[in-house]
Amino acid sequence: MALRPSRLITAALASVSILASACTADAGDTDDSTNTLSRRRTPTGEDIGKVSPGLQQYANNVVVEGLWSRPGLSPRDRSVVTVSALIARNNTVEMPQQITAALDHGVEPRELSEIITHLAFYSGWGNAMSAVAITNDIYTERGIATTQLATPARQPLPLDEAAEARRADTVEQDFGTVSPGVVQYTTDVLFRDLWLRPELAPRDRSLVTVSALVASGQVAQIPFHLGRAMDNGLTQEEAGEALTQLAFYAGWPSVFSALPVAREVFAGRP
Amino acid sequence: MALRPSRLITAALASVSILASACTADAGDTDDSTNTLSRRRTPTGEDIGKVSPGLQQYANNVVVEGLWSRPGLSPRDRSVVTVSALIARNNTVEMPQQITAALDHGVEPRELSEIITHLAFYSGWGNAMSAVAITNDIYTERGIATTQLATPARQPLPLDEAAEARRADTVEQDFGTVSPGVVQYTTDVLFRDLWLRPELAPRDRSLVTVSALVASGQVAQIPFHLGRAMDNGLTQEEAGEALTQLAFYAGWPSVFSALPVAREVFAGRP
Amino acid sequence: MALRPSRLITAALASVSILASACTADAGDTDDSTNTLSRRRTPTGEDIGKVSPGLQQYANNVVVEGLWSRPGLSPRDRSVVTVSALIARNNTVEMPQQITAALDHGVEPRELSEIITHLAFYSGWGNAMSAVAITNDIYTERGIATTQLATPARQPLPLDEAAEARRADTVEQDFGTVSPGVVQYTTDVLFRDLWLRPELAPRDRSLVTVSALVASGQVAQIPFHLGRAMDNGLTQEEAGEALTQLAFYAGWPSVFSALPVAREVFAGRP
């Protein structure tokens, strides 16, 4: 039953044509666009080759056989980073394959749903709606029911009241008169609600946030959230590998703009 | 006939499933893709709930019942901000619902069309074309004809010649030899033509511009245009509420990168 | 046989309805979404006019008759800039028309395919996949086979070993411990492989890169790549005209954020 990671990745990513076909099989049977939210499929390796044989070779040799098999970050975590980057960049064409791969790599449906929920706030509502449309189809096809999406015990995670009070004070002093609404929602909805939801571990929630920030070029917001990610248990090696993953899925320039900031954050850690 | 604002918003946003169905009814009847430009629909509350019950709750409790009902900015202005952010971010999946809601909130078809025209220049031609495709379908469905899209008296708005001469001089000195084409078009097409079109009030045109800048992370361009927006009549309270609206539709990081700049602009006002 | 440039551009861009129809004719005949990757078409001038008569006038008078006919940058190079900007911004609705126009303007299929390959790294894998989906359909429709996509002699271009060693040393010193993976792939896959592929001239590859950087707001990465572009033969006049083209296809704010950086690069040239 247990595939070695490299086999698992190959099965999930190299055989994209099988995945992609499965992914749109139901959708393709009818044209009832009032029932189906998305009907796109991700290009297969063969599709890529018809447009660029060179890109197909990079896909096989560098991405599937190389990047996804690197040590330092698990395939499951690479999927968390990749899906977050695609949602942040609204890359809907690549999403069907990578959301499917994420489930195959062990991201629980509950976690995937919470990544989308989290990014509704950190990447914008419209980006989340694109991901909802695609994920809705994949859940229908896989028979994933709403009962699988909540944690059994829905207790909010514990809050470090002192640290949260300091954060809230700083933001209130900085921007309380500029936009009282933003300041209020940041406390009430984000830090005293969203971040305490047990559907996603804080370390993973931070990894999602940092990935989205890098992928959308929001360099100024990286120091706070990368520091928080490391407080939540992300290691420097994992962060460096997340940046490697992001070089491919968010593009080299996004990562090169983030590297000097990451270096400062790493240097400032005790 | 007159609904209270909160009822209007609830009708327009909470009953998204009705809107969304109506929105694609004609499109869904045929598969003639040479006649239909877009056939997407925005996920309904029920669709969201199948992917994330938590996100559906946020949609109902925080966004529809909360954000859209806040004082400080009218539902009509919130729609102007939201549609501008979606066009700037190319959020095509959320667009059908929000463009429909904008018309229900009192944004005139003439104004909506001019928002798209304005953003062809301020968010790029390709972003405008995505909005054209979706709006074309909505206008067809609602029977909105071209005759509704122009102001009766097509006189250009008055121009402050002295202020425009100062702006043009500064840009010419800064960038006249770097890109003569950009400098020339900025004067001829933007400030002596587009900004003088009477289809949209200058205050609204500025609100569209600032929303697009925040939503696309163009922080360096905010000071000029936020100052101009306030010269054109946007109050500080409205600007702060626009940022609150944008936190949801452009994502928290975009707004937190804009807040320090907005604070400086507010502090520098007489 | 030979059309004057302005006629060629008019044929390729003003008669978008003919192009667009051709572009989706095969796709529209069936609804087999497992065989078809994209079925979008770009709005025609008539479509634009139904949403905004003003925007249709700008399309005809300013863009088609104006911008595309300007001296200083060939229609072929304008297409290279435009397609790069659309891929970097994931503007899938405008892509079918502009990819078709690029081929009509003399961008070879081999070059177009290599632009997509290059941008898989410089604009992110997901952006490239959107372009693959659309280009795949256009190649099928035009009968462009894989044999047309490789150069006859597949020798890598010569490398300036000393300059590359300096670049690699700097990046290793700056970020070698921050993200060893990024540093390694930057050398092995980008500068010792991708940039040496003969399918695209280095000057064009640089033009693609700079266009994508401007179009995605990656200002911090412009100095290195604009300098490299000029080392590779791009003139200052061409760079200034590329910025003019980008003002329309990436939006005014992206270009105004790039102008101060371009000025510095120009001032620093010998």
Side-chain angles (χ1 to χ4, degrees):
Chain A
M1 292 291 279
L3 294 170
R4 283 183 303 124
S6 67
R7 291 290 301 280
L8 182 63
I9 295 161
T10 306
L13 293 179
S15 310
V16 286
S17 81
I18 297 167
L19 280 176
S21 300
C23 180
T24 53
D26 288 355
D29 288 344
T30 71
D31 183 37
D32 188 346
S33 61
T34 57
N35 286 333
T36 306
L37 280 165
S38 78
R39 305 190 310 158
R40 303 275 198 80
R41 67 176 174 87
T42 307
T44 63
E46 194 186 348
D47 294 323
I48 299 171
K50 283 180 188 165
V51 171
S52 171
L55 189 55
Q56 186 180 12
Q57 284 181 21
Y58 284 127
N60 290 336
N61 302 342
V62 178
V63 179
V64 174
E65 298 292 333
L67 178 72
W68 281 87
S69 302
R70 285 173 62 88
L73 199 67
S74 69
R76 183 262 185 199
D77 284 352
R78 288 183 190 276
S79 273
V80 169
V81 169
T82 303
V83 167
S84 300
L86 296 180
I87 295 174
R89 298 171 65 79
N90 212 23
N91 279 153
T92 51
V93 171
E94 179 72 2
M95 260 184 229
Q97 180 192 321
Q98 291 297 344
I99 288 173
T100 303
L103 295 168
D104 291 341
H105 287 159
V107 178
E108 297 291 332
R110 162 181 56 81
E111 294 172 319
L112 178 62
S113 293
E114 191 66 15
I115 290 171
I116 297 170
T117 302
H118 189 78
L119 291 178
F121 297 94
Y122 280 92
S123 294
W125 196 264
N127 290 53
M129 287 305 105
S130 299
V132 161
I134 289 164
T135 306
N136 192 304
D137 285 353
I138 294 173
Y139 281 4
T140 299
E141 165 209 327
R142 292 203 163 199
I144 294 171
T146 314
T147 48
Q148 293 176 251
L149 302 179
T151 48
R154 274 238 72 232
Q155 294 282 15
L157 299 174
L159 175 65
D160 181 339
E161 291 280 357
E164 167 53 19
R166 282 195 301 276
R167 186 208 59 74
D169 279 357
T170 304
V171 171
E172 172 63 33
Q173 280 178 29
D174 285 350
F175 308 122
T177 60
V178 179
S179 181
V182 171
V183 171
Q184 192 69 45
Y185 279 125
T186 303
T187 296
D188 296 351
V189 177
L190 298 200
F191 287 97
R192 289 187 173 275
D193 186 348
L194 182 68
W195 278 91
L196 307 183
R197 288 171 56 87
E199 279 80 2
L200 197 61
R203 178 264 195 196
D204 290 344
R205 200 176 284 276
S206 278
L207 184 59
V208 167
T209 309
V210 171
S211 298
L213 292 175
V214 174
S216 53
Q218 289 291 349
V219 173
Q221 309 308 314
I222 293 177
F224 175 81
H225 281 291
L226 182 54
R228 188 176 169 91
M230 298 178 82
D231 292 344
N232 283 335
L234 192 76
T235 68
Q236 181 174 330
E237 186 192 9
E238 289 172 331
E241 272 302 308
L243 289 168
T244 308
Q245 188 77 11
L246 287 166
F248 287 88
Y249 288 98
W252 247 257
S254 299
V255 166
F256 264 78
S257 294
L259 281 170
V261 178
R263 184 179 54 194
E264 290 303 303
V265 172
F266 293 165
R269 303 289 298 177
Chain B
M1 291 290 279
L3 293 170
R4 285 182 304 124
S6 66
R7 290 291 300 280
L8 181 64
I9 295 162
T10 306
L13 292 178
S15 309
V16 285
S17 80
I18 297 165
L19 282 176
S21 301
C23 180
T24 52
D26 288 356
D29 287 344
T30 70
D31 183 37
D32 188 347
S33 60
T34 57
N35 286 332
T36 306
L37 279 166
S38 78
R39 304 191 310 159
R40 301 276 198 79
R41 65 176 176 87
T42 307
T44 63
E46 192 185 348
D47 294 324
I48 299 172
K50 282 182 188 165
V51 171
S52 170
L55 188 56
Q56 186 180 12
Q57 284 182 19
Y58 283 126
N60 290 337
N61 302 343
V62 178
V63 179
V64 175
E65 297 292 332
L67 178 71
W68 281 88
S69 302
R70 287 173 61 88
L73 199 67
S74 69
R76 183 262 186 199
D77 285 351
R78 289 184 189 275
S79 274
V80 169
V81 170
T82 302
V83 167
S84 300
L86 296 181
I87 294 175
R89 299 171 65 78
N90 212 21
N91 280 153
T92 52
V93 170
E94 179 72 4
M95 261 185 228
Q97 180 193 322
Q98 292 297 342
I99 288 173
T100 303
L103 295 169
D104 291 340
H105 286 160
V107 178
E108 297 292 332
R110 162 181 56 81
E111 295 172 318
L112 178 62
S113 293
E114 191 66 14
I115 290 171
I116 297 170
T117 302
H118 189 78
L119 292 178
F121 298 93
Y122 281 91
S123 292
W125 196 264
N127 290 52
M129 287 305 106
S130 300
V132 161
I134 290 165
T135 306
N136 192 303
D137 285 354
I138 294 173
Y139 281 4
T140 299
E141 166 209 325
R142 293 202 163 199
I144 295 170
T146 314
T147 48
Q148 294 176 251
L149 302 179
T151 47
R154 276 238 70 230
Q155 295 281 17
L157 300 174
L159 175 65
D160 181 339
E161 290 281 356
E164 167 54 18
R166 283 195 302 276
R167 186 209 58 75
D169 279 356
T170 304
V171 171
E172 172 63 32
Q173 281 179 28
D174 284 350
F175 308 123
T177 60
V178 178
S179 180
V182 171
V183 171
Q184 192 69 45
Y185 279 125
T186 303
T187 296
D188 296 350
V189 178
L190 299 200
F191 286 98
R192 289 188 172 275
D193 185 348
L194 182 70
W195 278 91
L196 306 183
R197 288 170 57 86
E199 279 80 1
L200 197 61
R203 178 263 195 196
D204 290 344
R205 200 176 283 278
S206 279
L207 185 59
V208 167
T209 309
V210 170
S211 299
L213 293 175
V214 173
S216 54
Q218 290 290 351
V219 174
Q221 309 308 316
I222 293 177
F224 174 81
H225 281 291
L226 182 53
R228 187 176 169 90
M230 297 178 83
D231 292 343
N232 284 335
L234 192 76
T235 68
Q236 180 173 331
E237 186 193 8
E238 289 172 330
E241 272 303 307
L243 289 168
T244 307
Q245 188 78 9
L246 288 166
F248 287 88
Y249 288 98
W252 247 256
S254 299
V255 166
F256 264 78
S257 294
L259 281 170
V261 178
R263 185 179 53 194
E264 290 302 303
V265 172
F266 294 164
R269 304 288 299 176
Chain C
M1 290 290 280
L3 293 170
R4 283 183 304 124
S6 68
R7 291 289 302 279
L8 182 63
I9 294 162
T10 306
L13 292 178
S15 309
V16 287
S17 82
I18 296 167
L19 281 177
S21 301
C23 180
T24 52
D26 288 355
D29 287 343
T30 70
D31 183 37
D32 188 346
S33 61
T34 57
N35 286 333
T36 307
L37 280 166
S38 78
R39 303 191 311 158
R40 302 276 199 79
R41 67 176 174 87
T42 307
T44 63
E46 192 185 348
D47 294 324
I48 298 171
K50 283 182 187 165
V51 171
S52 171
L55 188 56
Q56 186 181 12
Q57 284 181 20
Y58 284 127
N60 290 336
N61 302 342
V62 179
V63 179
V64 175
E65 298 292 333
L67 179 71
W68 282 88
S69 302
R70 286 173 62 87
L73 199 67
S74 70
R76 183 262 185 198
D77 284 352
R78 289 184 190 275
S79 274
V80 169
V81 169
T82 302
V83 167
S84 300
L86 296 181
I87 295 175
R89 299 172 65 79
N90 213 22
N91 279 153
T92 52
V93 171
E94 179 72 3
M95 261 184 229
Q97 181 193 321
Q98 291 297 344
I99 289 173
T100 302
L103 295 169
D104 291 341
H105 286 158
V107 178
E108 297 291 332
R110 162 180 56 81
E111 294 172 319
L112 178 62
S113 293
E114 191 65 16
I115 290 171
I116 297 171
T117 302
H118 189 78
L119 291 177
F121 297 94
Y122 280 92
S123 292
W125 196 263
N127 290 53
M129 288 305 105
S130 299
V132 161
I134 289 163
T135 306
N136 192 304
D137 285 353
I138 294 172
Y139 281 4
T140 299
E141 166 209 327
R142 293 202 162 200
I144 294 171
T146 314
T147 48
Q148 293 177 251
L149 302 178
T151 47
R154 273 238 72 231
Q155 294 282 15
L157 300 174
L159 176 65
D160 181 340
E161 290 280 357
E164 167 54 17
R166 283 195 301 275
R167 187 209 57 76
D169 278 357
T170 304
V171 171
E172 172 63 34
Q173 280 177 30
D174 284 350
F175 307 124
T177 61
V178 178
S179 180
V182 171
V183 171
Q184 191 71 45
Y185 279 124
T186 304
T187 297
D188 296 350
V189 177
L190 298 199
F191 287 97
R192 290 188 172 275
D193 185 350
L194 182 70
W195 279 89
L196 306 183
R197 289 171 56 86
E199 279 80 2
L200 198 60
R203 178 264 195 196
D204 290 344
R205 200 175 284 276
S206 278
L207 184 59
V208 168
T209 309
V210 171
S211 299
L213 293 175
V214 174
S216 53
Q218 290 290 350
V219 173
Q221 309 308 316
I222 293 177
F224 174 81
H225 281 291
L226 182 53
R228 187 177 169 91
M230 298 178 83
D231 291 343
N232 284 335
L234 192 76
T235 67
Q236 180 174 331
E237 186 193 9
E238 289 172 331
E241 271 303 306
L243 288 168
T244 307
Q245 188 77 10
L246 287 166
F248 287 88
Y249 288 98
W252 248 255
S254 299
V255 166
F256 264 77
S257 294
L259 281 170
V261 178
R263 184 179 54 194
E264 291 302 303
V265 171
F266 294 165
R269 303 288 299 176

